[in-house]
């Protein structure tokens, strides 16, 4: 049985992953693929415990290194329990976030050495990389405004207080990091302009994914 394709969805805050993910999964299913739509930690009991540690309000002082290692630890379990078995069954896996999120957030965003984050994640994943990464690209201010609107909060971005400015700088680095990763691996990334309404962005995503699917059908199966 041919191995399934591994697709990931990435982007900074408010780029629209949680809206576009299900729409893309639906499109893939309509194209006749058996699809597992998932996100880290993907329901693995160990990963859920780790996520609890990452999200705990009491852990505000968490060091960037701790955060990076915890994301990687959850990912190690996710790959072995969820992703690899599905790919081996010929299932197409679509994951909302994966290794590139750690490179962009913990590396470029928090300032950890990107080469170290990459290496740790190679250990975590056994070197499993996506066949295609859809990067929803949006400017931090537009993304943060969307994220805030989605949470139902009032107020425009850019109140100008210290935390807001820190957040804008952080997300600026995250976005630039994602774009740099895409430039380094142009065959793996599809960079999508995430501005505009849901349907416009959905059409851009589908066009890019369909092009990738056509090309992967034309490519011969790798031996072994
Ligand atoms: P996510 O659940 O994808 O939420 P959102 O759709 O709102 O972006 O990610 C939650 C947060 O965790 C988000 O700020 C990105 C961050 N994150 C990392 O910093 N590193 C990682 O490896 C992952 C997977 C997420």
């Amino acid at each position: 049985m041919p191995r399934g394709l591994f697709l990931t969805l990435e982007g900074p805050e408010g780029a629209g992953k949680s809206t576009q993910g299900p729409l893309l999964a639906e499109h893939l299913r309509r194209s006749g693929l058996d699809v597992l739509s998932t996100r880290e930690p993907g329901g693995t009991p160990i990963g859920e415990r780790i996520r609890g540690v990452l999200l705990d309000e009491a852990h505000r002082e968490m060091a960037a290194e701790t955060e990076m290692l915890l994301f990687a630890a959850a990912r190690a379990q996710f790959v072995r329990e969820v992703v690899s078995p599905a790919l081996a069954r010929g299932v197409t896996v679509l994951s909302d976030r994966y290794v590139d999120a750690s490179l962009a957030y913990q590396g470029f965003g928090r300032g950890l050495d990107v080469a170290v984050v990459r290496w740790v994640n190679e250990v975590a994943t056994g070197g499993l990389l996506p066949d295609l990464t859809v990067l929803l690209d949006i400017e931090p201010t537009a993304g943060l405004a969307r994220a805030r609107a989605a949470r139902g909060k009032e107020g425009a971005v850019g109140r100008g207080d210290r935390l807001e400015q820190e957040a804008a700088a952080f997300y600026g680095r995250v976005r630039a990091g994602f774009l740099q990763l895409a430039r380094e691996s142009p065959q793996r990334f599809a960079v999508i302009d995430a501005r505009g309404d849901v349907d416009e962005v959905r059409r851009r995503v589908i066009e890019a994914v369909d092009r990738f699917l056509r090309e992967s059908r034309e490519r011969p199966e790798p031996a072994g």
Side-chain angles (χ1 to χ4, degrees):
M1 173 181 306
R3 175 187 170 279
L5 292 170
F6 183 24
L7 281 67
T8 61
L9 200 52
E10 297 281 3
E13 259 34 38
K17 284 184 305 98
S18 46
T19 305
Q20 295 297 332
L23 296 173
L24 175 56
E26 188 190 309
H27 173 75
L28 292 168
R29 289 195 183 100
R30 273 206 306 264
S31 312
L33 293 166
D34 187 1
V35 179
L36 174 68
S37 183
T38 185
R39 58 183 303 157
E40 298 177 326
T44 67
I46 294 168
E48 296 294 348
R49 296 286 293 272
I50 296 171
R51 183 180 158 82
V53 176
L54 278 162
L55 297 183
D56 193 327
E57 287 274 328
H59 297 166
R60 280 177 189 276
E61 303 301 301
M62 187 180 288
E65 288 81 358
T66 312
E67 186 183 76
M68 187 265 288
L69 291 166
L70 287 174
F71 273 118
R75 187 164 295 136
Q77 200 62 31
F78 174 66
V79 165
R80 286 160 185 81
E81 241 182 278
V82 179
V83 180
S84 293
L87 294 175
R89 290 197 308 274
V91 171
T92 297
V93 177
L94 173 62
S95 179
D96 180 335
R97 296 212 184 280
Y98 189 61
V99 169
D100 298 301
S102 281
L103 294 169
Y105 281 85
Q106 279 67 54
F108 292 92
R110 298 233 182 275
L112 295 180
D113 184 336
V114 175
V116 171
V117 180
R118 197 186 293 275
W119 179 77
V120 166
N121 275 276
E122 254 175 57
V123 175
T125 61
L128 178 70
L129 280 176
D131 298 295
L132 177 71
T133 297
V134 175
L135 172 59
L136 295 175
D137 178 51
I138 196 152
E139 227 201 330
T141 47
L144 289 171
R146 268 190 190 172
R148 185 172 309 179
R151 285 196 305 269
K153 285 197 190 153
E154 278 294 305
V157 168
R159 277 194 344 251
D161 66 29
R162 187 179 54 83
L163 284 180
E164 193 115 294
Q165 283 174 15
E166 263 178 35
F170 174 77
Y171 291 120
R173 292 195 297 276
V174 169
R175 181 203 189 193
F178 274 128
L179 290 174
Q180 182 170 325
L181 295 170
R183 277 195 301 276
E184 286 168 6
S185 308
Q187 296 94 325
R188 173 162 74 84
F189 276 87
V191 182
I192 305 294
D193 179 354
R195 290 171 303 179
D197 65 34
V198 170
D199 205 52
E200 276 174 284
V201 179
R202 183 185 64 90
R203 267 178 297 186
R204 290 180 202 132
V205 169
I206 285 175
E207 195 189 314
V209 170
D210 282 348
R211 189 177 327 122
F212 164 79
L213 291 177
R214 267 196 311 278
E215 285 168 8
S216 65
R217 270 195 295 269
E218 283 157 17
R219 254 195 308 273
E221 275 284 313

